[in-house]
Amino acid sequence: MRDAFHDELNALTDRLVEMTRLVRSAMSRATTALIDADLQLAESVISQDAEVDRIHAELESSIYELMATQQPVAVDLRTAITALRMGSDLERMGDLAEHVAKIARMRHPESAIPAEVRDTILEMGQIAERLVTKTGACIVGQDIELAKELETDDDEMDRLHRRLFRVLLSKDWKHGIEPAIDITLTGRYYERYADHAVRVARDVVYLVTGSRDPDLSE
């Protein structure tokens, strides 16, 4: 019975890793849709978010059932609770990718992103992909050192987020209020996506060590 129980705990990891793959793909496609004003690609991101939601619901259901029927303690309980938190963060990352895609859809057939900030948005998308790729690897390998690397990547995302605001507040900005709002929202979505990836990394540290590492503290 305990072997079956631990198989079920391992299945939680598989679901989490699948969620990282889905939200990585979603953000990658959303970024392309945003830059290229690709309506079909944006629609695919929006419609496929339902798959992330479905896996998240399955994950939650499995965890609640395990806790009710197996009454895990110590490390097993920590695994279940941490998986619950990770799943919520990953589900939110999928939502944020969907939000980016919705901006692309709303402004189609025009691009929502003026030329002045395209390179910054593209770089933010690349960092987002790098973060969630590392997040998946952290979950699989329970790699504390890799988890700590996400903090540096998140700092880079924050730097790019500040760069966007410098452009928007520049006296040379000539695109008006509506594009400025789009860019403000888009930057916030990428920044929050990165924050959720770091939260998952912090949970990996907690899962392995049983404590919140100060280097990854809020």
Side-chain angles (χ1 to χ4, degrees):
M1 180 174 291
R2 296 305 294 176
D3 287 343
F5 171 57
H6 284 101
D7 286 343
E8 291 179 35
L9 286 178
N10 290 334
L12 299 180
T13 298
D14 293 339
R15 284 195 177 100
L16 290 169
V17 171
E18 180 62 17
M19 289 181 75
T20 67
R21 291 174 182 147
L22 289 172
V23 301
R24 179 186 185 278
S25 174
M27 188 55 93
S28 174
R29 289 179 290 123
T31 301
T32 300
L34 191 66
I35 297 295
D36 296 344
D38 189 325
L39 180 60
Q40 184 176 357
L41 200 57
E43 293 286 9
S44 76
V45 174
I46 294 164
S47 63
Q48 291 172 21
D49 186 57
E51 179 65 8
V52 177
D53 294 341
R54 183 189 65 79
I55 295 174
H56 181 228
E58 288 181 354
L59 179 77
E60 283 191 328
S61 178
S62 296
I63 292 170
Y64 293 144
E65 183 175 352
L66 283 173
M67 293 178 70
T69 60
Q70 302 293 334
Q71 298 180 340
V73 296
V75 175
D76 291 341
L77 178 61
R78 191 161 75 229
T79 299
I81 295 299
T82 303
L84 194 63
R85 288 168 51 95
M86 289 178 178
S88 294
D89 281 310
L90 290 166
E91 189 272 337
R92 184 57 183 151
M93 291 167 74
D95 289 343
L96 290 163
E98 182 185 18
H99 293 338
V100 172
K102 284 182 175 179
I103 290 179
R105 181 177 68 178
M106 180 171 60
R107 298 305 174 200
H108 184 267
E110 303 299 325
S111 173
I113 306 302
E116 292 94 323
V117 294
R118 285 193 178 188
D119 287 347
T120 301
I121 293 294
L122 183 60
E123 192 173 352
M124 292 177 86
Q126 292 168 344
I127 292 173
E129 289 183 55
R130 184 163 73 240
L131 276 160
V132 74
T133 298
K134 288 183 179 180
T135 297
C138 287
I139 294 170
V140 171
Q142 296 189 356
D143 189 330
I144 295 176
E145 293 307 313
L146 184 59
K148 291 178 180 179
E149 288 183 17
L150 272 75
E151 193 79 6
T152 300
D153 292 328
D154 184 50
D155 289 342
E156 182 65 12
M157 183 71 87
D158 291 340
R159 183 186 66 80
L160 293 170
H161 193 211
R162 291 191 295 270
R163 183 199 290 176
L164 282 181
F165 279 101
R166 286 198 297 272
V167 175
L168 293 176
L169 295 173
S170 168
K171 59 182 175 59
D172 296 326
W173 180 255
K174 59 187 178 185
H175 301 285
I177 294 176
E178 196 170 79
I181 292 172
D182 289 341
I183 293 165
T184 299
L185 290 172
T186 300
R188 179 60 172 163
Y189 296 150
Y190 283 110
E191 190 263 342
R192 288 301 297 153
Y193 186 98
D195 286 346
H196 283 287
V198 171
R199 282 168 58 99
V200 174
R202 290 169 179 160
D203 280 334
V204 170
V205 173
Y206 173 67
L207 177 62
V208 173
T209 66
S211 64
R212 297 292 177 182
D213 190 293
D215 291 337
L216 290 173
S217 61
E218 291 286 349

